[in-house]
Every structure is written in structure tokens, then in C-alpha cells.
Amino acid sequence: MLMKMAEGNCKIIFLETICNDRNIIERNVRLKIQQSPDYADQPDYEAGLQDFLERLTNYEKVYEPVQEGSYIKMIDMVKGEGGQLQVNNISGYLPGRIVFFLVNSHLAPRPILLTRHGESLHNVRGRVGGDTVLSEDGELYSKKLANFIEKRLKNEKTATIWTSTLQRTILTATPIVGFPKIQWRALDEINSGVCDGMTYEEIKKIMPEEYESRKKDKLRYRYPRGESYLDVIQRLEPVIIELERQRAPVVVISHQAVLRALYSYFADRPLREVPDMEMPLHTIIEIQMGVTGVEEKRYKLMD
């Protein structure tokens, strides 16, 4: 039915996930009973468990494996080792990217911590872009961040710290010890082109047409000789794939536009909201992928 409806309109890919590990199934059932809204009004755990097991039995009676068309089967891949990925009749760029994404994704719980760099001199002056050092407040934040990371990840020896190649993120990460640090050019702030180093008031005065164009559509507006938010989102694809692949915690120290895009991806926010997402200085956003979706905590280390 679906293939007939889609004919001539779009391509359909079926994704089938199969788990044969009884321990994982039992764990998932327990989590479902404890965390799913389906059982929020059921105080009796055993009654909820019995109900869900009956549902599984009914599913099994009518379930038919996917055997035709374009499909991807993920078999016992939840553990991240010894699994299989079966691919049938998959061709084209986007379907290929989907397969690549699925190969690198997993459900192992681990936190991702997002934070902007400490306040920079350009932040103080209200200037766009640049590559300035930290202000006094920014240096203080870098020390507070190091203390926070040391306590939060003290038992996570395989955690990593990711920064951009700009010195304000590298300096923010400097006091953090005991974890490897990786610099990503893809995590650099949005390229503001000819507007780099200017204040928004200067842009409004000198380049009023550019100022108004940006104001009308921040998502698609591209700075002259620079980037748009859509450009930033596109260059973040390898970073996102690598974040999905990681099994240990990752601390990402980056910039406002970049973190807006990353946060929107994990929080499943609409594209149109990306440019206006709140991403304050001196704040850590901890993201945890869970059964009920993405859970987050925010830690404000400075007023």
C-alpha cells in the first residue's frame, strides 16, 4: 500500500530493527514500564509488565519481516558489536547517507555537554566574529568549567574535549586536564565575511541593506563572503555523525551559532528556530538520549 501511494512521488526505505538478546529486551521492557507515558497512570509495576508482555505476544503473532523493496535491517546492533546491517536495493546519495548514519549510531547512554567559550574581548565590545582572547570573566569561567568537568566526568576516563580552532575555545579548554582535546575546524563560529569584527550597529549604519536582509531571514541570510546558518548546519554533518558514534562522554566547547545548530539537532527542534535558540554564555547544557527522548540539564556557572 505504501509503495503504491509513494510511486512517482517519493522513495520509500523500510527500516527494520531486530533484537535477539533477551537481556536487552528485558531491560527495555523495564524502562518502558518505568518511563513510558503509556504506563504513567499505572502504579502497579507487575500489572504494567504483564500488559506489555501481552502486547509483545500479540505483535509477534502478526509480525511479518520486510522482504521486498528498498530496506535496511539492523540486527542486534544495539550492543555495538557483533551486529549486522543488511541493505537491499539502496542507491542514491541521500539513501547512502542514511545507511552511513545508521552504521555509526547506537543507543548506548552517554552525556554530551555543550558550552560556549568563556566571554571574549569581542563579546565585551559587542563585535561579531574575530579571534580574540578571553576577558577576565571568560578566564574565570574556564577555571569553573574545568572544576565542573573534573567532578562530573571523574569516572569517565575515555571522555574527550572538542573545541573549534579559534583561540577563545582553546583557551577555555586549557585548564581542563586529564582528557584528550580535539580541535575541529567544523566547530568554528559562523563566518561573518566582510562584517567580521564589526558591531551590529556599525553594520546597520554602513550596510543597511545587509542588516535588513539578515533581520528578515537569519536562517538563510549569508554574510557577504561569509556563511549562512544553513551553511553552518551543512558543515556540521561530520561532527554530528562522530557525536552519534561516540560511546564515551563528549564536551563540546564552541560558539553560539554552531551550538544552536547542534542543540537543535539533538533536541529535534524545527529548522526555523535554529537562529534564535537561546545559547547563553557561561552555561553548560548536558544532553542525555533516553527512552522517552532527549533529556537535558542546564548548569549556569556564573551570573
Side-chain angles (χ1 to χ4, degrees):
M1 181 189 71
L2 285 172
M3 292 168 74
K4 189 173 181 180
M5 288 170 59
E7 190 173 357
N9 298 312
C10 65
K11 180 179 287 189
I12 285 187
I13 298 174
F14 292 95
L15 174 61
E16 184 175 26
T17 60
I18 301 167
C19 178
N20 297 304
D21 189 314
R22 302 309 304 179
N23 291 329
I24 291 176
I25 294 171
E26 287 173 11
R27 183 196 69 186
N28 288 351
V29 168
R30 286 197 302 271
L31 288 172
K32 185 80 172 178
I33 305 305
Q34 293 166 359
Q35 299 182 20
S36 171
D38 291 356
Y39 295 98
D41 298 326
Q42 174 55 272
D44 187 342
Y45 174 84
E46 291 301 324
L49 178 62
Q50 189 59 40
D51 175 76
F52 192 74
L53 292 176
E54 288 175 7
R55 287 167 61 179
L56 286 183
T57 301
N58 289 328
Y59 292 152
E60 289 172 355
K61 288 178 182 177
V62 297
Y63 184 77
E64 296 180 17
V66 176
Q67 295 177 323
E68 60 182 314
S70 298
Y71 63 77
I72 304 164
K73 291 193 180 192
M74 301 177 70
I75 304 170
D76 290 331
M77 289 191 66
V78 69
K79 292 187 291 186
E81 53 187 31
Q84 297 180 47
L85 191 76
Q86 295 181 4
V87 177
N88 184 71
N89 194 25
I90 298 291
S91 62
Y93 174 76
L94 192 55
R97 298 305 295 168
I98 292 171
V99 172
F100 180 72
F101 174 80
L102 292 173
V103 167
N104 287 283
S105 62
H106 60 85
L107 297 176
R110 80 285 184 202
I112 297 171
L113 284 76
L114 307 176
T115 182
R116 289 174 67 183
H117 55 80
E119 182 186 65
S120 70
L121 294 182
H122 263 22
N123 288 142
V124 175
R125 298 162 185 158
R127 298 194 175 277
V128 175
D131 192 18
T132 57
V133 297
L134 302 179
S135 67
E136 287 187 13
D137 279 350
E139 290 177 358
L140 178 59
Y141 176 69
S142 70
K143 294 170 184 172
K144 286 180 176 288
L145 177 64
N147 289 333
F148 177 90
I149 297 300
E150 182 182 348
K151 292 175 183 175
R152 176 65 184 84
L153 303 180
K154 62 182 177 181
N155 298 319
E156 303 284 356
K157 302 303 180 186
T158 55
T160 52
I161 314 296
W162 296 5
T163 73
S164 73
T165 63
L166 300 174
Q167 63 175 339
R168 55 189 182 274
T169 64
I170 296 170
L171 290 171
T172 301
T174 299
I176 303 172
V177 295
F179 302 103
K181 296 168 187 171
I182 302 170
Q183 294 178 19
W184 286 76
R185 190 168 295 279
L187 288 175
D188 285 2
E189 179 61 298
I190 187 170
N191 183 349
S192 49
V194 299
C195 298
D196 191 67
M198 299 172 67
T199 66
Y200 287 116
E201 283 302 314
E202 289 171 346
I203 295 171
K204 185 177 182 180
K205 182 178 180 181
I206 300 169
M207 309 166 69
E209 290 183 2
E210 293 297 331
Y211 182 86
E212 288 302 319
S213 294
R214 180 179 179 274
K215 192 175 178 181
K216 287 177 184 175
D217 190 355
K218 281 178 69 176
L219 180 66
R220 293 170 180 80
Y221 171 77
R222 180 179 286 121
Y223 286 101
R225 299 184 204 163
E227 290 182 302
S228 68
Y229 266 93
L230 289 179
D231 294 328
V232 171
I233 290 167
Q234 187 171 15
R235 71 165 149 95
L236 281 172
E237 181 184 324
V239 177
I240 289 170
I241 294 289
E242 193 62 22
L243 279 171
E244 290 281 11
R245 197 176 71 85
Q246 294 294 309
R247 296 182 175 277
V250 178
V251 180
V252 180
I253 304 173
S254 188
H255 309 266
Q256 182 167 243
V258 171
L259 293 178
R260 280 171 169 166
L262 286 178
Y263 174 81
S264 297
Y265 166 79
F266 286 107
D268 196 24
R269 302 293 284 274
L271 200 59
R272 66 180 182 275
E273 293 182 9
V274 173
D276 300 307
M277 200 71 63
E278 186 180 1
M279 200 57 58
L281 281 169
H282 305 159
T283 302
I284 300 163
I285 302 175
E286 180 178 326
I287 294 171
Q288 277 274 15
M289 274 67 77
V291 174
T292 56
V294 174
E295 300 173 2
E296 72 169 74
K297 295 179 182 177
R298 295 199 177 210
Y299 306 91
K300 190 170 180 63
L301 302 191
M302 293 174 59
D303 296 327

